[in-house]
Amino acid sequence: LPGAGSAPGVTMPSVGVVIEGNLLEPLRQFPTPVIARSRDDRTSLDLRSIDAADDQIVIDALLAAGG
C-alpha cells in the first residue's frame, strides 16, 4: 500500500468515524493509545489501519474519552 506521500494521486479505500470535539489527548493517553486526527473541533479515526481484532480497544478508548 502506498503511504506517506509515496504515490501521489493514488487513493486507498477506507472507512472513517468522525466524533464531535477534540479527543486527541484522551485517546492518546488511553492504556493502548489510539491515534486520530482533529480539525475544526471534530476528531476523525481512519479505520483502515485498525485491525478488526482491536475494535473493542477503540470503542473503550472512545467511551473513556467521552466520545
Side-chain angles (χ1 to χ4, degrees):
L1 288 174
S6 65
V10 174
T11 60
M12 295 180 283
S14 184
V15 174
V17 174
V18 177
I19 300 110
E20 292 297 321
N22 182 342
L23 302 178
L24 292 185
E25 196 59 33
L27 289 174
R28 290 178 181 166
Q29 296 301 319
F30 197 69
T32 302
V34 175
I35 305 303
R37 295 175 299 180
S38 182
R39 184 175 179 187
D40 299 327
D41 201 37
R42 296 169 63 185
T43 301
S44 301
L45 294 168
D46 186 343
L47 301 180
R48 77 172 160 231
S49 61
I50 299 172
D51 189 288
D54 295 331
D55 284 353
Q56 193 60 53
I57 293 170
V58 175
I59 292 167
D60 293 343
L62 287 169
L63 290 172

